[in-house]
């Protein structure tokens, strides 16, 4: 047998594997989390914790879209979350909307605020991150203003208990997580995703190649804002009673960013795994012993920065790529 004949089956096998994996793996990235949540709700009694985890998966994927694919880190991401909660609350209290319709209205509120923040893209790096943080705090100050009590109820919060629905809020949260993962799948495996990565790596070269940098980056920003807006709306609906400081909380941004970084930005599975693992750790350790949780969080972040900057997804990829060498050496 000739050398070329011996090599042909291996080449054919390599050409077949990506096609199979390209179809199955993205589908599993959406289906597996949904199935896990559907099983967990019958095993674990704290449904609100599962709702929060699903929302944080969606928020981490939203950070993945804007930061992982464009390189813009929004510290003020919680602003969209809070706006979504209050716009949905306004729709329920003043317009008589149902919870699901109000959640969609919350997503629209996030998109509108995201569109207003378009001029911020003239800034870069830390300037962009800090300015979005300032905008988020400004939105909190506006909503909690006692002069707007007739609209937002000011610092007294909103009560949505009249439309509370345990099953619907859980289903909407899981659905949002699935849609956010699907959005990342579609972006990553599309020409638009390649365009965003080109913008992230070198926006000047991308513009010279004919890419409309401002437009394509803005679309990603609006998608991330919509996800956060719907997430805030579902959160407010699920807890029924909330105050401005509950939803306009910078911790929301910190958690979403850390979850995405821990799992691995620019990947499909990374933010989902990061949110699931760290939020579970937070509820086991952080609620009862916050000082120990902060220590664990700090150690995890330091170790990731030093040894695994690509997160859990990067570690998994490294082990997978080096598996043949391990086998051959044994």
């Amino acid at each position: 047998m000739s050398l070329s004949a011996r090599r042909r089956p291996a080449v054919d096998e390599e050409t077949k594997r990506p096609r199979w994996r390209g179809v199955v793996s993205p589908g599993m990235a959406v289906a597996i989390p949904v199935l896990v949540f559907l099983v967990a709700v019958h095993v674990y009694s704290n449904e609100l914790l599962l709702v929060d985890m699903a929302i944080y998966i969606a928020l981490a994927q939203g950070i993945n879209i804007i930061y992982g694919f464009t390189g813009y880190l929004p510290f003020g991401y919680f602003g969209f979350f809070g706006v979504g909660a209050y716009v949905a609350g306004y729709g329920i209290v003043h317009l008589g909307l149902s919870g699901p319709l109000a959640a969609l209205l919350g997503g629209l509120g996030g998109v509108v605020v995201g569109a207003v923040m378009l001029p911020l893209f003239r800034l870069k790096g830390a300037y962009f991150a800090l300015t979005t943080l300032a905008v988020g705090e400004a939105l909190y100050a506006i909503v909690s203003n006692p002069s707007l009590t007739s609209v937002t109820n000011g610092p007294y919060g909103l009560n949505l208990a009249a439309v509370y629905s345990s099953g619907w809020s859980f289903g909407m949260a899981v659905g949002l997580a699935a849609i956010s993962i699907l959005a990342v799948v579609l972006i990553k495996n599309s020409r638009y995703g390649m365009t965003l990565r080109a913008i992230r790596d070198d926006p000047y070269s991308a513009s010279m190649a004919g890419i409309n940098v401002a437009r394509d980056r803005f679309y990603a920003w609006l998608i991330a804002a919509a996800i956060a807006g719907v997430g805030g709306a579902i959160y407010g609906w699920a807890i029924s009673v909330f105050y401005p400081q509950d939803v306009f909380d910078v911790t929301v941004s910190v958690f979403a960013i850390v979850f995405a970084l821990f799992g691995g930005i620019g990947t499909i599975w990374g933010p989902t795994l990061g949110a699931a693992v760290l939020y579970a750790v937070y509820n086991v350790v952080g609620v009862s012993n916050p000082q120990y949780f902060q220590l664990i969080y700090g150690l995890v972040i330091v170790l990731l920065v030093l040894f695994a900057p690509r997160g859990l997804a990067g570690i998994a990829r490294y082990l997978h790529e080096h598996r043949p060498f391990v086998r051959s050496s044994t």
Side-chain angles (χ1 to χ4, degrees), residues 4-92:
S4 61
R6 287 199 304 269
R7 287 182 176 176
R8 187 175 298 114
V11 173
D12 292 342
E13 184 66 22
E14 289 296 324
T15 57
K16 292 178 181 178
R17 284 178 59 190
R19 296 177 183 176
W20 177 81
R21 291 175 63 187
V23 174
V24 176
S25 183
M28 292 174 59
V30 178
I32 289 179
V34 171
L35 291 176
V36 169
F37 276 112
L38 293 180
V39 172
V41 73
H42 297 289
V43 177
Y44 189 67
S45 59
N46 192 342
E47 184 178 293
L48 183 59
L49 185 148
L50 297 177
V51 170
D52 290 347
M53 182 179 289
I55 290 174
Y56 269 114
I57 288 176
L59 294 177
Q61 292 290 4
I63 292 292
N64 192 25
I65 291 173
I66 187 61
Y67 181 52
F69 288 94
T70 71
Y72 276 75
L73 183 61
F75 282 166
Y77 197 52
F78 68 91
F80 302 128
F81 187 84
V83 166
Y86 266 87
V87 169
Y90 181 90
I92 292 172

Side-chain angles (χ1 to χ4, degrees), residues 248-265:
F248 288 96
D249 187 356
V250 69
T251 304
V252 173
S253 293
V254 173
F255 274 22
I257 292 170
V258 172
F259 293 163
L261 292 175
F262 179 74
I265 58 172

Side-chain angles (χ1 to χ4, degrees), residues 70 192 195-196 199 210-221:
T70 71
Y192 178 59
T195 299
L196 292 181
I199 294 172
I211 295 175
N212 191 327
V213 174
R215 182 196 62 193
D216 292 333
R217 192 167 48 195
F218 183 52
Y219 289 162
W221 176 246

Side-chain angles (χ1 to χ4, degrees), residues 101-112:
L101 288 177
L104 296 178
L105 184 63
L108 179 61
V111 169
V112 171

Side-chain angles (χ1 to χ4, degrees), residues 25-286:
S25 183
M28 292 174 59
V30 178
I32 289 179
V34 171
L35 291 176
V36 169
F37 276 112
L38 293 180
V39 172
V41 73
H42 297 289
V43 177
Y44 189 67
S45 59
N46 192 342
E47 184 178 293
L48 183 59
L49 185 148
L50 297 177
V51 170
D52 290 347
M53 182 179 289
I55 290 174
Y56 269 114
I57 288 176
L59 294 177
Q61 292 290 4
I63 292 292
N64 192 25
I65 291 173
I66 187 61
Y67 181 52
F69 288 94
T70 71
Y72 276 75
L73 183 61
F75 282 166
Y77 197 52
F78 68 91
F80 302 128
F81 187 84
V83 166
Y86 266 87
V87 169
Y90 181 90
I92 292 172
V93 174
H94 296 281
L95 303 180
L97 298 180
S98 63
L101 288 177
L104 296 178
L105 184 63
L108 179 61
V111 169
V112 171
V113 172
V116 173
M117 295 171 65
L118 176 61
L120 297 184
F121 279 100
R122 297 177 181 177
L123 305 173
K124 297 180 180 179
Y127 297 102
F128 175 83
L130 293 176
T131 304
T132 60
L133 177 61
V135 171
E137 292 293 345
L139 290 171
Y140 164 70
I142 293 172
V143 170
S144 61
N145 191 332
S147 301
L148 296 177
T149 301
S150 60
V151 179
T152 66
N153 209 30
Y156 309 109
L158 293 178
N159 188 336
L160 308 181
V163 296
Y164 173 74
S165 175
S166 174
W168 269 101
S169 59
F170 173 78
M172 290 285 288
V174 175
L176 176 64
I179 291 172
S180 65
I181 298 171
L182 180 61
V184 173
V185 169
L186 295 176
I187 291 173
K188 186 175 178 62
N189 296 300
S190 66
R191 184 175 179 180
Y192 178 59
M194 296 177 62
T195 299
L196 292 181
R197 287 191 290 271
I199 294 172
R200 178 195 62 193
D201 295 337
D202 191 341
Y204 179 76
S205 298
S207 63
M208 294 299 293
I211 295 175
N212 191 327
V213 174
R215 182 196 62 193
D216 292 333
R217 192 167 48 195
F218 183 52
Y219 289 162
W221 176 246
L222 293 184
I223 294 172
I227 291 173
V230 176
I234 296 173
Y235 176 79
W237 181 27
I239 65 173
S240 296
V241 179
F242 60 90
Y243 299 90
Q245 61 269 26
D246 296 328
V247 292
F248 288 96
D249 187 356
V250 69
T251 304
V252 173
S253 293
V254 173
F255 274 22
I257 292 170
V258 172
F259 293 163
L261 292 175
F262 179 74
I265 58 172
T267 66
I268 296 173
W269 282 95
T272 300
L273 294 175
V277 171
L278 286 186
Y279 195 72
V281 173
Y282 168 74
N283 281 277
V284 172
V285 181

